[in-house]
Amino acid sequence: MRDTSTILTPPLPGIPRTRRLLVAVSGGIDSTSLLHALIQQGYRKLTLLHLNHSLRGRAATADATFVKSLARRLNLPIISAKVDVPALARKEKLSIETAARRARYTFFAQAARQTRCRTLLLAHNADDQAETFLFNLLRGGGTNLGGMRPRTVREIDGIRLEILRPWLNVWRTEIQAYATREKIRYREDATNASPEHTRNRIRTRIIPYLSKQLDRDIRPALWRAAEILAAQQDWLDDSLTLTTSELPVPALRALPVALQRHTLHAWLRRHRIPQISFDLIELIRTLLPSGAKVSKVNLPTATFARRREGLLFIDGTVRNRRIKRKACKK
Amino acid sequence: MRDTSTILTPPLPGIPRTRRLLVAVSGGIDSTSLLHALIQQGYRKLTLLHLNHSLRGRAATADATFVKSLARRLNLPIISAKVDVPALARKEKLSIETAARRARYTFFAQAARQTRCRTLLLAHNADDQAETFLFNLLRGGGTNLGGMRPRTVREIDGIRLEILRPWLNVWRTEIQAYATREKIRYREDATNASPEHTRNRIRTRIIPYLSKQLDRDIRPALWRAAEILAAQQDWLDDSLTLTTSELPVPALRALPVALQRHTLHAWLRRHRIPQISFDLIELIRTLLPSGAKVSKVNLPTATFARRREGLLFIDGTVRNRRIKRKACKK
């Protein structure tokens, strides 16, 4: 294990200690320790953000009480809220995880507006990065393999939020050692211990099983892949040149395959097409060859991708109807 | 399952039926079925290649006998050879798998020279692609995540060999259905059934376990990732501009991170540095910032990467000494 004193407490690169910062604090070991480390580093203008997702009953209420009392003890402002995530998931026909993420980011944006502060710190660690990568690889449509970034800028509800994850390269065991050494008090996350959710199963069962089968700790390999693919994704983003509503087919055809795919992915997103999958993108790519016999591809929500007179465009109305994701094509 | 009759017997794109082709035939279901399909498609000028790796004793000898008799029955020429792979592995200090691969490609190159035929068909299927991806992800240094290509050109011992894998998108179950329907006789591969090797463990244990845990067949997701990352890798290859023996630091620094990494990887390979890992590449990248305090990084085999007067170069002699790969840094 590395010397955690130097890993956990470097100043945030490029962020002066006088900057006002939002810190998401669940009350768990990661976010409570990050808050502690930030204070150690001399950051003082911190506002704690805590969202009760209504997912864990009394434990969640106790978490909220804990974080509020922590803020009081540290004499720091706190913004807390409660959202009924299960109800949101039902209403919007989302998975619990997606609904929770959406509720969280809406809350962050509101807090950013309220405080006029545009920088948010999240305590995701290297284990989270490895686990998320494996989760996206095994569950995803293959279009989102790059890992979380140490710094991203995200536009949410008209708010431009800078999101920093200073602990993406710090392992959970290192945070645990730090928390023990610093005698940090935190709340055990009840959902972490339960193997119900896929995310927790990846953490508690799948990664230990794979490490045993391969006879090595596989987390660094997953972490590296997430990091490498994040950089490739950034490069793809920066190389997007075709960003119009209709795409010129000859120009698209001339691109490298990787960039064709990325261009089509961004194009479908611009048109708010849901459930963008690798298979769908490959289907649209069959419209590109100059002698292509197909000129129309069905999209979800009763729309079509059409090629006509050298242009690729979306035909039909995008209705806000949700279609259950088709079983993975074998 | 898809209609295998159209999947397994399309003509090879761009390859006229009169072209002379080399076909690697182990005697197992995949290669024997591919041979059958090629003949069905009207390809006649086929030469069978069979290598006995000396890995499975009497079973291997029986495989060789089977393939020779198959060639006789089909009235096709065959080139077969026997290599002592365990001895090669010991002598060259390679893993059995690496030694087997090296022996195989040397054999292919010799056969290509002997027959003056430069196109080789391999029967890798979609399951192989998914398994190889997971193997490279969990075992590799993070620098080789792209999957096998349906077409590659490889220079081996001065021979430029075009390698085609027409069945990379055909699943093992589809080949099995085809073999049953066509009453194809083949040899069971004894190593496939044994969970000793990591590769076989991935096939027989790890992929079934992950599919059960995730409650879906995970192979299509792995296959897609291999395909997507292969295209990104090709794009990186085509975007390499700095290919000199010494690298100009300002130009390297100006590249996107993904391309910096790929440029350094290609540079280390040109200099025949062994065990190129992600961690090593990241270490060399610390030499790039204009204010970098470090100007030298140790490489394996007692050489150094140095920065001096705006250039990155390799210092010291590359000795042909092999160093055991260090345990994965945690």
Side-chain angles (χ1 to χ4, degrees), chain A residues 118-176:
Chain A
R118 293 290 180 268
T119 306
L120 168 69
L121 285 133
L122 299 178
H124 291 115
N125 62 37
D127 289 82
D128 294 327
Q129 179 77 306
E131 290 156 12
T132 303
F133 174 77
L134 192 58
F135 179 83
N136 287 339
L137 172 67
L138 299 179
R139 288 280 305 257
T143 53
N144 182 25
L145 292 172
M148 294 180 275
R149 315 306 201 258
R151 180 182 179 279
T152 47
V153 173
R154 203 166 149 164
E155 181 102 18
I156 316 158
D157 302 336
I159 299 283
R160 222 178 98 94
L161 198 57
E162 178 187 34
I163 298 171
L164 303 178
R165 295 181 175 92
W167 278 4
L168 267 190
N169 61 350
V170 180
W171 295 96
R172 193 170 287 138
T173 50
E174 295 174 321
I175 297 174
Q176 280 159 351

Side-chain angles (χ1 to χ4, degrees), chain A residues 2-71:
Chain A
R2 297 170 291 186
D3 175 9
T4 52
S5 61
T6 60
I7 294 162
L8 299 175
T9 54
L12 298 171
I15 308 281
R17 288 185 172 76
T18 51
R19 172 90 63 89
R20 289 201 303 131
L21 301 171
L22 304 170
V23 189
V25 181
S26 68
I29 182 168
D30 297 334
S31 55
T32 312
S33 299
L34 177 61
L35 179 65
H36 188 94
L38 287 168
I39 293 168
Q40 265 192 340
Q41 288 162 35
Y43 291 92
R44 287 290 178 270
K45 296 188 175 169
L46 308 174
T47 300
L48 279 59
L49 304 188
H50 179 85
L51 183 67
N52 181 341
H53 295 75
S54 310
L55 287 173
R56 304 185 295 109
R58 278 199 295 188
T61 311
D63 287 350
T65 308
F66 173 82
V67 176
K68 282 174 199 166
S69 106
L70 179 65

Side-chain angles (χ1 to χ4, degrees), chain A residues 213, chain B residues 97 191-201 204-205:
Chain A
Q213 284 291 325
Chain B
E97 265 155 356
T191 54
N192 275 351
S194 128
E196 272 172 61
H197 302 290
T198 305
R199 290 297 298 249
N200 288 326
R201 215 176 306 151
T204 59
R205 285 192 197 167

